[in-house]
Amino acid sequence: MEERVYNFSAGPACLPMDVLKQAQKDFISYGGSGMNVMEMSHRSPEYQNIIDTAEADLRELLNIPDNYDVLFLQGGASLQFAMVPMNLMTKYKKIHAVNTGQWSKKAIAEAKKFGEVNVVASSEDKTFSYIPELSAELFTPDADYVHITSNNTIYGTKYTKLPPVGNLPLVSDMSSCILSEKINVADYGLIYAGAQKNIGPAGVTIVIVRRDLVENAPEDIPTMLRYKTHADNGSMFNTPPTYAIYIAGLVFKNLKRLGGIGEMEKINREKAAMLYDFLDNSSLFSATVAGADRSMMNVPFVTGDAELDREFVAEAKKAGLVNLKGHRSVGGMRASIYNAMPEDGVRSLIAFMAGFEAKHR
Ligand SMILES: *Cc1c(COP(=O)(O)O)cnc(C)c1O
């Protein structure tokens, strides 16, 4: 077999080995069909079964209530920054939003094109290294919804509790944490996630939305940008990203085999604890996020010396630990340890860091 690396990319990210192997097995002829899934009509019974199974497995994994639609869309999480306000910012033409990083900012900028955005809190004062404290009074009822970014991919922070939004629908960008830990879908009005972090290949975006919120979207928004269009047509109003959905389906099956999100969360907690423990005890490396708001998925860290950081990233690459360079706005390093990153990958990274530290102390 070809040599594999441990890929710590923030996205597109690594996929589970079992999924890649299954896709390889299916590559020339899927299930006796004589063709690859990407050559298949999306209207064929074989494909209908693929998308139906993917949806059913996702519903089971996240325990999605029946009054929520599950949509497989295109355009990435970035299109959701516009689609959400287009469809939901209808009554008050005002929303509340929390600014916890670049993705939040982009969501806020798009929403502003459709109405008023009240930014209730921000962590920009400290390079987004924490989640702001949020009190119930911030969320006045004169808004259509509240927008948050559950896990901040670039800065490595995450919410550890729900914002006290009262009866307002909570909308969350879960691109970099969906399926990583248990959530209660009913706490949210709408959840969206681009697939390329924790679900599958780039090209499909998953939206989970409470049906009553999108039923009355304005008639004048473009057909393809109305959630209802996709909900009414089982995500097949037009050709869906068929292959990406197929791979996402394999990822869901793999998670079910593992024992579900609870099991996955346990492993993710162990992986993150191992890495943060090492960082907290290191004499060379330190984590850029302190305390409770640390992400389990994206772990930014630095040596404090930009030249040494560069050397570390280059040396790590030679050792088969790739894509550890941090986002340019934070600098240093970032290890993205999504669901598909095995515990052995994290152990290898820690061992390599310990060796680097011994050489450079
Ligand atoms: C990656 C990411 C995005 C952007 O996703 P695209 O699918 O590239 O549009 C948005 N939000 C978060 C939290 C992300 O991690």
Side-chain angles (χ1 to χ4, degrees):
M1 202 202 309
E2 298 276 335
E3 194 75 9
R4 292 274 296 175
V5 293
Y6 286 120
N7 179 7
F8 294 91
S9 169
C14 57
L15 284 163
M17 199 56 189
D18 288 344
V19 167
L20 295 177
K21 282 182 179 158
Q22 185 61 47
Q24 184 180 45
K25 229 160 92 188
D26 293 346
F27 204 76
I28 303 295
S29 174
Y30 171 83
S33 66
M35 61 181 89
N36 186 296
V37 173
M38 49 185 134
E39 301 172 293
M40 217 173 251
S41 165
H42 58 296
R43 307 284 177 205
S44 64
E46 286 98 332
Y47 194 75
Q48 191 63 54
N49 184 49
I50 289 173
I51 193 169
D52 288 348
T53 305
E55 178 176 338
D57 286 342
L58 182 63
R59 281 185 180 277
E60 188 181 326
L61 283 166
L62 288 174
N63 204 3
I64 300 174
D66 288 341
N67 61 326
Y68 283 69
D69 285 319
V70 173
L71 308 176
F72 297 97
L73 307 180
Q74 303 191 56
S78 298
L79 182 58
Q80 294 311 305
F81 298 162
M83 258 176 99
V84 173
M86 279 178 126
N87 284 268
L88 267 61
M89 211 178 187
T90 50
K91 188 170 170 206
Y92 299 100
K93 305 242 186 295
K94 175 182 169 182
I95 65 164
H96 299 305
V98 186
N99 179 16
T100 54
Q102 295 210 6
W103 297 119
S104 295
K105 268 189 173 178
K106 288 186 174 171
I108 288 165
E110 283 298 286
K112 277 184 177 162
K113 297 180 177 178
F114 302 96
E116 185 187 342
V117 179
N118 175 34
V119 179
V120 296
S122 166
S123 49
E124 193 160 18
D125 58 337
K126 290 183 183 156
T127 329
F128 299 115
S129 59
Y130 68 104
I131 301 289
E133 199 54 46
L134 300 165
S135 62
E137 306 87 75
L138 293 171
F139 301 105
T140 53
D142 59 336
D144 288 306
Y145 60 88
V146 177
H147 184 277
I148 62 167
T149 314
S150 285
N151 182 78
N152 296 282
T153 324
I154 295 173
Y155 303 94
T157 62
K158 78 167 187 107
Y159 285 77
T160 49
K161 53 182 189 282
L162 288 174
V165 298
N167 289 326
L168 292 175
L170 180 60
V171 173
S172 180
D173 177 355
M174 291 197 190
S175 294
S176 52
C177 60
I178 193 166
L179 303 174
S180 69
E181 62 180 325
K182 281 193 155 174
I183 55 164
N184 179 21
V185 172
D187 289 334
Y188 300 85
L190 188 151
I191 293 166
Y192 63 93
Q196 66 273 21
K197 278 77 184 240
N198 231 359
I199 298 172
V204 63
T205 307
I206 288 180
V207 172
I208 302 165
V209 60
R210 215 176 71 207
R211 201 163 293 131
D212 62 286
L213 290 176
V214 292
E215 215 101 83
N216 300 313
E219 295 285 347
D220 61 352
I221 55 183
T223 310
M224 276 294 286
L225 300 182
R226 278 190 108 204
Y227 290 120
K228 196 163 185 311
T229 301
H230 302 285
D232 288 349
N233 291 281
S235 299
M236 296 245 226
F237 172 74
N238 71 328
T239 318
T242 52
Y243 198 73
I245 294 168
Y246 152 74
I247 298 284
L250 294 182
V251 169
F252 301 153
K253 278 266 182 276
N254 201 52
L255 269 173
K256 280 177 63 178
R257 258 197 308 277
L258 186 80
I261 309 288
E263 277 308 302
M264 191 71 250
E265 176 175 345
K266 239 169 70 190
I267 297 168
N268 285 333
R269 286 197 184 283
E270 284 167 16
K271 285 188 298 187
M274 269 197 286
L275 187 48
Y276 284 118
D277 277 356
F278 174 81
L279 288 166
D280 289 344
N281 291 301
S282 170
S283 55
L284 179 65
F285 300 100
S286 57
T288 59
V289 176
D293 301 335
R294 286 173 163 178
S295 167
M296 287 203 294
M297 298 282 99
N298 311 97
V299 183
F301 57 97
V302 293
T303 63
D305 172 346
E307 190 48 50
L308 201 54
D309 287 351
R310 271 192 290 278
E311 189 183 327
F312 174 80
V313 171
E315 293 292 317
K317 185 175 177 190
K318 284 186 211 152
L321 306 164
V322 309
N323 288 320
L324 283 162
K325 191 173 180 312
H327 191 272
R328 60 189 181 281
S329 62
V330 183
M333 284 72 72
R334 171 178 50 175
S336 294
I337 50 173
Y338 297 117
N339 286 358
M341 173 57 64
E343 286 174 286
D344 271 345
V346 178
R347 277 191 210 101
S348 301
L349 173 62
I350 291 170
F352 180 80
M353 288 167 80
F356 191 87
E357 182 176 318
K359 260 193 284 176
H360 292 88
R361 209 163 2 212

